[in-house]
Amino acid sequence: MNVTATNHDDVSAKLTVTIDNADYKDKVEKQLHNYAKNAQVPGFRKGKVPMSMVRRQFEANAALEEINKLVSEAVNNYISENNLRLVGQPVPNPVEDFDYKKDQLSVEFEVGFEPNITIDLAKYEAPYFKVEASDKEINTSIENMQKRFAEQVPQEEIGEESFVNLEIQQVVEDDAEGEHHHAPKNATINAQTKEAFELVKGKKMDEVFRISKEELVNNEDLAKQLGFSKNEVDHLHHNELEIKIKDFYGLKDHELNQELFDKVYGEGNIASEEALREKVKSELDEYFQQNADVHFVNKILEQIVKTEEIQLPENFLVKHLMFTNQNVTSEQQAREILEREKDQLKYQIIEGKLMNDNEVKIDYSDVLEQAEQLVRNQMAMYGIHNLADEEVQKYAVEILKDQNQLQQISSEVAMAKLKDVILEKAKKNEKAISHDEFLEEIKNKVEDTADNAETSGN
């Protein structure tokens, strides 16, 4: 068995795999004998099927299976031994006059691979924003904590600041046949759920009123605010619903005291308002700076894409598109798709090259750590800041059992490590700005990107 390469250019080649009949003949014979021993064919006892019949029916498929194994192994070994970083997967050329009985067979594949380039990060530079949280943002974050742990305050009547708990029950008609047991639905509404809130204005505690199924059918927003999906509304069994006001109350923001500090950050970790503000500022600064770091890295990568000469294996990619996508039926269609995706392909090649040259590697411990951080971030959204490490890890392990989540988080880890490399090696033009100014910078970047896309589309 032998593999030879014929280069079309610097980024594409034809691989020819040549195998001798002797490379697979014995394995095919073994398959046939195993089948003959175990086959149950009408008219023959087990193990007594004539070898001529077995060979006639199964030899071709057995040979093709063994040939495919050998060819795949040969191509993969060649790619690995020659350190080829493929763009897409090998595309087989049609085989004419395939005859597995010949003394020698040749199978050809087209391959495309990344160009051999060197990227010097030190020659690239971009604005690097140092973003600090303002007093306004710190105050807003603390106010949100107070609202998250707000105290329910009884009220004598429903007002604009009220939260109203409702119990909603289908009304069974007097002449309805059979037994009807429909569990009540509960909903909490306030002034933000405008349509539902209009129903309860002026009503009293325990007051009961009715609405029709037709009202929910005609007002999807009202249905959602009362907790009904469109499918649930469509499958309501009765024409009226009875709504009871179970409770209503106002919310009083939690006092800025030790009890709040302990609820948010765990007992004894924050002992004063000053310490709270310092903690909040450090968290906001870290979050803002993470976004600023990503902005800097993206700016550097954009420059690299525009500056570096990245040769793509275009002819191969056209073949690859036509081979892998049944909806691509012509070379012209494939070239149009390729033209739209060129920048993204170059971007991926650059990322891969930077990771490879800077030995960016990840292992399971990196991925688990990232998943644990994801869990902590999700818990923080619900005001839980002090979940035990063992619990965090348990949830993280469950997340990573999902292959899509595992792949997504692994990609995030790889990009985070590449980000660190770029932050270390590319030149930073540091500039201190407020978070509002940073958001304006991001907004302008998005608008510029949209304008450029519209221009190129025209």
Side-chain angles (χ1 to χ4, degrees):
M1 185 167 55
N2 185 43
V3 181
T4 58
T6 304
N7 287 347
H8 300 308
D9 51 37
D10 291 339
V11 287
S12 64
K14 178 177 70 177
L15 301 184
T16 302
V17 183
T18 303
I19 57 176
D20 296 328
N21 186 278
D23 293 329
Y24 56 87
K25 183 178 179 180
D26 290 346
K27 293 178 181 178
V28 172
E29 284 298 313
K30 184 177 180 180
Q31 274 203 48
L32 296 178
H33 281 287
N34 285 338
Y35 186 85
K37 288 178 183 178
N38 299 295
Q40 296 186 9
V41 178
F44 298 94
R45 285 181 295 158
K46 182 178 178 181
K48 298 298 182 180
V49 181
M51 198 62 191
S52 59
M53 179 183 291
V54 172
R55 194 177 302 282
R56 186 168 58 252
Q57 292 187 11
F58 301 105
E59 185 177 31
N61 286 339
L64 183 59
E65 181 181 337
E66 293 299 333
I67 290 168
N68 281 336
K69 288 179 183 177
L70 287 171
V71 169
S72 296
E73 181 183 355
V75 170
N76 290 335
N77 287 342
Y78 182 89
I79 291 168
S80 176
E81 290 166 4
N82 290 274
N83 296 315
L84 296 183
R85 293 180 58 84
L86 295 189
V87 178
Q89 297 301 313
V91 175
N93 286 332
V95 178
E96 297 180 3
D97 301 325
F98 179 81
D99 182 1
Y100 66 89
K101 294 183 179 180
K102 291 171 64 175
D103 290 339
Q104 195 172 73
L105 287 172
S106 291
V107 183
E108 297 175 349
F109 291 86
E110 299 294 335
V111 293
F113 38 87
E114 297 179 3
N116 186 18
I117 57 173
T118 300
I119 301 172
D120 181 9
L121 285 170
K123 75 178 186 180
Y124 290 96
E125 60 181 283
Y128 181 71
F129 299 115
K130 300 291 289 183
V131 187
E132 283 198 32
S134 66
D135 286 341
K136 174 185 172 184
E137 288 154 344
I138 295 169
N139 291 338
T140 299
S141 183
I142 292 174
E143 287 167 6
N144 289 337
M145 291 178 187
Q146 292 177 273
K147 292 182 185 303
R148 193 185 310 145
F149 294 100
E151 175 189 357
Q152 292 185 9
V153 180
Q155 295 178 321
E156 294 184 1
E157 60 183 27
I158 295 174
E160 290 299 321
E161 302 299 321
S162 298
F163 289 78
V164 184
N165 292 332
L166 303 176
E167 183 182 83
I168 307 162
Q169 177 73 60
Q170 293 188 60
V171 178
V172 181
E173 295 82 0
D174 292 338
D175 58 353
E177 297 181 358
E179 295 186 2
H180 297 268
H181 302 287
H182 306 296
K185 184 178 283 289
N186 297 296
T188 299
I189 62 173
N190 60 20
Q192 293 182 347
T193 52
K194 186 175 179 181
E195 287 82 356
F197 200 67
E198 285 295 323
L199 298 176
V200 302
K201 284 185 175 179
K203 298 217 168 14
K204 307 291 185 184
M205 188 76 74
D206 296 326
E207 188 169 341
V208 175
F209 61 97
R210 293 186 178 188
I211 61 172
S212 67
K213 174 181 175 180
E214 185 179 4
E215 288 179 76
L216 297 185
V217 171
N218 294 333
N219 191 335
E220 191 172 336
D221 287 338
L222 174 61
K224 286 181 179 178
Q225 291 167 17
L226 293 176
F228 290 90
S229 67
K230 185 178 185 304
N231 184 60
E232 287 175 317
V233 172
D234 291 339
H235 289 85
L236 286 172
H237 290 78
H238 307 286
N239 295 323
E240 280 193 309
L241 295 98
E242 186 174 85
I243 301 177
K244 181 176 182 180
I245 297 177
K246 297 286 290 182
D247 187 21
F248 55 84
Y249 53 87
L251 290 177
K252 179 183 177 183
D253 288 353
H254 199 294
E255 289 185 28
L256 200 56
N257 57 19
Q258 188 62 48
E259 183 182 20
L260 177 64
F261 307 157
D262 291 345
K263 285 180 178 179
V264 176
Y265 289 107
E267 187 172 349
N269 290 317
I270 299 293
S272 67
E273 183 177 344
E274 181 182 2
L276 175 67
R277 294 184 67 84
E278 289 177 0
K279 179 68 173 177
V280 170
K281 183 179 186 306
S282 69
E283 290 179 338
L284 290 174
D285 285 348
E286 181 181 357
Y287 175 71
F288 294 162
Q289 196 57 52
Q290 287 174 355
N291 292 335
D293 288 351
V294 170
H295 180 71
F296 171 79
V297 168
N298 287 339
K299 283 285 189 183
I300 295 295
L301 289 172
E302 286 170 9
Q303 288 182 45
I304 296 173
V305 171
K306 290 178 181 178
T307 304
E308 299 288 342
E309 289 292 333
I310 307 295
Q311 183 183 0
L312 294 176
E314 294 191 19
N315 291 331
F316 164 77
L317 289 169
V318 168
K319 292 180 182 178
H320 188 269
L321 280 167
M322 297 179 68
F323 179 74
T324 58
N325 191 332
Q326 63 182 2
N327 295 320
V328 180
T329 56
S330 69
E331 182 177 329
Q332 179 182 351
Q333 185 184 5
R335 290 195 180 279
E336 289 172 355
I337 293 172
L338 177 59
E339 192 63 34
R340 293 196 297 269
E341 295 180 351
K342 271 185 180 180
D343 283 351
Q344 182 61 31
L345 285 169
K346 290 179 180 179
Y347 200 93
Q348 291 171 357
I349 289 172
I350 287 167
E351 284 184 351
K353 182 64 176 173
L354 288 171
M355 288 182 184
N356 187 62
D357 289 354
N358 291 281
E359 298 182 348
V360 173
K361 294 180 173 61
I362 61 173
D363 55 34
Y364 184 77
S365 63
D366 298 320
V367 178
L368 179 60
E369 184 179 347
Q370 179 73 4
E372 289 174 354
Q373 188 56 51
L374 175 64
V375 171
R376 289 190 179 93
N377 291 344
Q378 290 174 340
M379 293 296 104
M381 291 173 61
Y382 297 97
I384 303 172
H385 290 262
N386 55 342
L387 193 65
D389 290 344
E390 305 81 54
E391 288 297 307
V392 171
Q393 187 174 101
K394 182 177 75 174
Y395 288 125
V397 169
E398 285 300 312
I399 287 174
L400 295 178
K401 289 180 181 178
D402 183 318
Q403 287 301 310
N404 290 331
Q405 288 273 32
L406 175 61
Q407 184 175 356
Q408 173 66 27
I409 293 173
S410 297
S411 177
E412 290 173 2
V413 171
M415 281 306 301
K417 291 198 170 189
L418 177 58
K419 181 191 75 172
D420 291 341
V421 170
I422 294 174
L423 285 169
E424 176 188 350
K425 295 188 176 182
K427 184 177 178 181
K428 305 184 188 76
N429 295 327
E430 292 195 8
K431 180 181 178 182
I433 63 174
S434 69
H435 188 239
D436 286 341
E437 290 173 326
F438 177 68
L439 292 178
E440 188 65 26
E441 173 74 20
I442 298 296
K443 177 183 175 184
N444 292 337
K445 180 180 181 299
V446 171
E447 290 174 350
D448 289 344
T449 301
D451 290 342
N452 291 336
E454 185 176 346
T455 301
S456 62
N458 293 333

